[in-house]
Amino acid sequence: MERKLELDNDKLKKELHMEGEFQKSVSLRLNRRGDRSTQTPHDKDSDGDFFSQGRFPQDYPMKIVWKKGFIRLVLVAGILWVLLVIMALLFHIWTCQSSVSFLSAICNNERVYTMLDTMGLVSKPQRCPIPVADDPDKIVIPDGRTSDKIVKNLVYVTEDEVPHDASLSSPLFGGHQSWSQREESFKLNSTMKVHCGFVRGGGAEMDPVDIKYVKKCKFVVASGIFDGYDIPHQPTNISLRSKKLFCFLMVVDEVSLKFIKENATVREDNNGGKWVGIWRLVLLKHPPYDEPRRNGKVPKILTHRLFPRSQYSIWIDGKMELIVDPLLILERYLWRGKHTFATAQHKHHRSIYEEADSNNRRKRYARALIDLHMKIYYYEGMKPWSVKKKTVSDVPEGAIIIREHTAINNLFSCLWFNEVNLFTPRDQLSFGYAVYRLGDSFEFFMFPNCEYNSIFVLHPHTREHSSPIEWVKQLDQFKKKSTLKESRGGLGLWTPYPGNLDSVVLPNVTRTSKAG
């Protein structure tokens, strides 16, 4: 019995000992978990951090600060770079619009263009050397005028023949030219009478002080600014001989005159003439059209009408800065090759239908009206340009026109303007058609576009022209909102055309340039 009791006691002691060991084990595990839960990030990092390797726990917050500081530095540097680019572009635009020669020179700097081209912000114009003479003083001006072989006497319609239609205003600057009168104007005779703007009472009236001044101008550099889109840019590299020989005439409307006075220095001479540098401002009162773009075609195309005593003229758009002496231009593009009319080839397009497609894509005028314009030309036999044609291109650059004011050139200018008056103000669409209708009787020199880029520096407009008519896609929109119609221009798009245009399908256009 005693032996049995001893065994039971030993067994009980062992069980009690095992239970105590188990409780001790559980207690140790709980303590370890508590230690882990209270362990600081520094303790964790000290176990296996790459930088501290368990020796410097205080380095962890420094790493966070360093990372945040680096990110902030990159963001600040990026923002500063963007601001610097924006400031450089704004400064570039401001210098380009300045009438101060020093600032203008900064704008024209090739390094500026190179920098912006490298950044992908602008593309440098393609330029090539111009084979002009070295010295304007050595240029020999031809004696006499070029004789006209076909047209001997050209006169203009000055009184408007108002049709019996109360919806049409009277009189109009371009007159109410009928379709039959338009057709007759393309038939050449020794004596011709054609519409050519400046119908009495139609607007575009010049101040008497300017009429008196331009009577002395035989050699003219002309330009124009309408609706305050630009300020005059001073020509550079002009010889003393050319300054004495040429009249530099800037045609403006009243809106532009006010804008120029606010943004440039305008001086007035003793006779009441207004000047900005070398440019004499010529004010045209009562703009003849609703659209500034169409108003700008008056001095551009009808230079011979505005300045009837002029023998030679060089037209440049208001956004251009002339950088070649005008006497050298006349020698290079007219006298050397015995030409009387010269203009630059368009940078991208040769066919008027390709140019029309570009205008539609860029919303330069109402798509429906451009298409109607082109349908009339296609119906009348105007084919797309091809290598079989005698002309280099049917589409001019348009910003420069160099001409001797001969009778045939004056007639061409009138016919070209009549198309702009009847249809759309996109004169590049009408140029090739007027050339086509006159055939071999009208000869002109179209020089490479890269030479055009070497004659001028192109400045940006002060603002972009925008008109609700540019966004119209369907003719029905004009019926719903009649205020979109121009009341004094584009009459040919609203007057019933004598031919059937329903079956006319415009030729397909293949874009030859992404930029076009």
Side-chain angles (χ1 to χ4, degrees), residues 98-230:
S98 175
S99 59
V100 181
S101 58
F102 171 74
L103 295 176
S104 181
I106 295 176
C107 168
N108 302 337
N109 196 315
E110 288 293 330
R111 293 181 181 178
V112 176
Y113 275 108
T114 302
M115 179 187 70
L116 296 175
D117 184 33
T118 302
M119 295 166 61
L121 299 173
V122 299
S123 58
K124 287 183 64 176
Q126 182 186 1
R127 295 176 176 172
C128 56
I130 312 174
V132 295
D134 296 328
D135 189 357
D137 293 329
K138 295 180 180 180
I139 299 298
V140 177
I141 300 175
D143 294 329
R145 306 287 299 278
T146 302
S147 59
D148 289 295
K149 300 177 181 178
I150 302 176
V151 181
K152 304 293 184 181
N153 186 29
L154 181 65
V155 293
Y156 310 112
V157 174
T158 57
E159 299 292 338
D160 198 2
E161 299 176 0
V162 184
H164 300 288
D165 190 339
S167 65
L168 297 176
S169 60
S170 173
L172 296 180
F173 177 79
H176 291 89
Q177 185 187 36
S178 66
W179 292 111
S180 60
Q181 288 174 327
R182 173 178 177 264
E183 189 63 29
E184 286 297 318
S185 67
F186 292 109
K187 299 177 181 179
L188 299 182
N189 294 293
S190 60
T191 298
M192 298 186 66
K193 185 176 183 179
V194 296
H195 286 80
C196 199
F198 292 96
V199 167
R200 189 174 288 107
E205 294 137 10
M206 196 186 302
D207 268 351
V209 63
D210 294 325
I211 293 175
K212 181 179 179 181
Y213 178 82
V214 301
K215 284 182 178 179
K216 70 174 186 177
C217 299
K218 294 184 178 180
F219 291 78
V220 170
V221 176
S223 187
I225 297 174
F226 289 82
D227 207 33
Y229 290 124
D230 303 284

Side-chain angles (χ1 to χ4, degrees), residues 248 259 353 376:
F248 291 81
F259 179 81
Y353 302 105
I376 292 174

Side-chain angles (χ1 to χ4, degrees), residues 387-446:
V387 293
K388 296 179 180 180
K389 287 194 173 185
K390 296 181 180 180
T391 57
V392 176
S393 170
D394 288 336
V395 185
E397 184 59 45
I400 179 172
I401 305 172
I402 308 162
R403 54 197 151 187
E404 180 183 357
H405 292 177
T406 63
I408 189 67
N409 287 344
N410 292 345
L411 173 65
F412 171 79
S413 297
C414 292
L415 300 180
W416 181 17
F417 178 81
N418 289 341
E419 297 300 295
V420 172
N421 175 68
L422 283 173
F423 301 116
T424 68
R426 308 310 304 184
D427 57 274
Q428 290 164 302
L429 301 177
S430 301
F431 178 89
Y433 176 81
V435 171
Y436 153 69
R437 290 303 303 267
L438 289 181
D440 296 336
S441 300
F442 175 70
E443 297 178 354
F444 67 101
F445 175 39
M446 184 172 277

Side-chain angles (χ1 to χ4, degrees), residues 334-386:
L334 296 188
W335 302 331
R336 188 184 304 182
K338 296 183 179 180
H339 303 294
T340 62
F341 193 107
T343 188
Q345 181 180 336
H346 193 277
K347 184 178 182 180
H348 302 296
H349 308 140
R350 294 190 177 187
S351 168
I352 64 170
Y353 302 105
E354 188 178 9
E355 173 68 9
D357 177 71
S358 175
N359 277 275
N360 283 339
R361 285 185 286 103
R362 296 174 182 270
K363 296 180 175 62
R364 297 288 178 82
Y365 199 68
R367 181 181 300 176
L369 298 184
I370 287 181
D371 288 344
L372 180 56
H373 186 182
M374 292 298 96
K375 282 186 176 182
I376 292 174
Y377 282 178
Y378 196 68
Y379 178 84
E380 294 180 346
M382 180 69 182
K383 302 299 182 184
W385 184 88
S386 69

